Amino acid sequence: MACPTHSHYELCGSSCPNSCAEPNLTASCQTPCQEGCQCDQGFVLSGTDCVPPAQCGCTLEGRYYLAGETFWEGEDCQRFCHCDASTHEVHCSNSSCGPEEGCGTLKGTLGCHPLVPSTCQILGQSQYITFDGKTYDFPGTCKYIFSELCGSLETLPFFRVEVRKENALSTPTSVISEVFILVNGTQIHLQKENPGPVQVNGATFTLPLSLNTGGILLYQDGFHLTLQTDFGLVLTSDLAHSLFLTLPPNYMGHTCGLCGNFNGNPRDDFQLPKGSPAGDPVTYSASERKPDDGYKDNCANGCAACVAQEQLVPAKAQCWILQDPQGPFSSCHMEIDPEPFASACANDLCLSMGSNRILCLTIQIYAAACQRANVTIGAWRSPTFCAPQCPPHSHYELCACPPHRSWLCL
């Protein structure tokens, strides 16, 4: 067995090896020995390497950092720290991200990262993920402001997206029934019951559609309908179980609605219009409700949630395909966290009493999110599992480029 530098193989070595963080752990070890590589005499573990104690790093609030390592402290990127290799102490100074950067976690690393577009999402019947990454459950059935430009910033194109949800007919779940988009004076209406044509300023048109006013494109993209603008707003929805709204970084701090304020801080997304914290998603969502059409919120006093373990456990097992490290979506895990999608999948599958249709739709949501992020995923459909239903004279492809379209211009 090949071992790293300054280590050797032992058939029965300590299962509590000495490390820079705990240099005397072996002496008090109570667990059985294990086969593997052990550091040589006079060396201790620093991460995965064996080093002399003099080359150890630093420990801060129970977390070990390598010698010379730099990192941000806290969640707001207000203090930048480094581990001094000579003193083994952490030194921090006040700092902040640059004008073209935002604080956040990218591929597991907290820090200042280049500003990129951010996406707010509806997953299944009740899962929401804000622009800032806050996940919350709210299965309310009413018409809500999903997101809009707030304030009087005239340099940004105005937009508003409203979503109406209603109870599904066959299961105790809620689905997206209508989406209303207002972009620079152009009103667009999408309907679940009539997904082919769209209404623009009250008139009905078929897809694909190009609107000269506002540089708006509307087209069918696989199983989803997509709206794209020339200033970077992109909305994609299956008009039932999922909706994705992507905004460019220049909208940071200038949005409100169920998607939050897009300021990089998920802890203040539940902010009421007058600035006070809402505390919970029910109170928060009530402030974004649109009561002008008399539509009754059937979830005003609470909606269905799956709590029966005898139903939830098998649902989680069926949704494991999304999180399986060896599964068809494993290539997407580092780019898009599968956990919220798997949670929404299990909840919806449980409420639908194990409906295969709901299972396939919830898996399809994550597949679409991965492909929008330009991640190549493995084949997950088969003739016996989630076989797609395509219209006459068409066929299914996992990754297909849309054909050239002759756009209808207005």
Side-chain angles (χ1 to χ4, degrees), residues 237-290:
S237 178
D238 62 3
L239 295 179
H241 299 276
S242 67
L243 189 147
F244 298 81
L245 176 64
T246 300
L247 291 180
N250 53 331
Y251 279 87
M252 285 192 72
H254 302 295
T255 68
C256 53
L258 295 182
C259 289
N261 54 19
F262 191 14
N263 67 350
N265 181 10
R267 292 180 294 180
D268 66 356
D269 275 341
F270 289 167
Q271 200 83 7
L272 297 176
K274 293 184 178 181
S276 59
D280 64 85
V282 175
T283 304
Y284 171 60
S285 59
S287 69
E288 307 300 342
R289 188 180 301 156
K290 299 288 290 184

Side-chain angles (χ1 to χ4, degrees), residues 289-347:
R289 188 180 301 156
K290 299 288 290 184
D292 53 350
D293 59 1
Y295 196 80
K296 182 179 179 181
D297 187 354
N298 295 321
C299 286
N301 297 317
C303 274
C306 188
V307 295
Q309 289 300 308
E310 64 272 15
Q311 297 173 4
L312 190 57
V313 170
K316 288 182 177 179
Q318 288 182 274
C319 297
W320 173 247
I321 184 176
L322 298 175
Q323 297 174 289
D324 186 352
Q326 306 300 322
F329 300 104
S330 57
S331 59
C332 190
H333 291 172
M334 287 296 292
E335 192 71 30
I336 299 177
D337 182 6
E339 197 284 326
F341 294 82
S343 176
C345 173
N347 183 68

Side-chain angles (χ1 to χ4, degrees), residues 390-402:
C390 293
H393 310 300
S394 67
H395 64 280
Y396 166 77
E397 291 185 16
L398 174 64
C399 184
C401 294

Side-chain angles (χ1 to χ4, degrees), residues 50-64:
C50 293
V51 302
Q55 295 180 13
C56 280
C58 314
T59 300
L60 178 66
E61 297 179 353
R63 182 170 179 177
Y64 178 75

Side-chain angles (χ1 to χ4, degrees), residues 79 87 96 99 128 156 174 178 254 301 329 341 358 400 404:
R79 286 172 61 79
T87 64
S96 62
Y128 288 73
L156 293 175
S174 60
E178 295 177 277
H254 302 295
N301 297 317
F329 300 104
F341 294 82
I358 295 298
H404 174 73

Side-chain angles (χ1 to χ4, degrees), residues 35 86 112 134 138 150 181 231 276 285 309 324 326 390 408:
E35 180 187 19
S86 59
C112 295
K134 185 178 186 64
F138 177 67
C150 292
I181 305 108
F231 60 87
S276 59
S285 59
Q309 289 300 308
D324 186 352
Q326 306 300 322
C390 293
L408 170 64

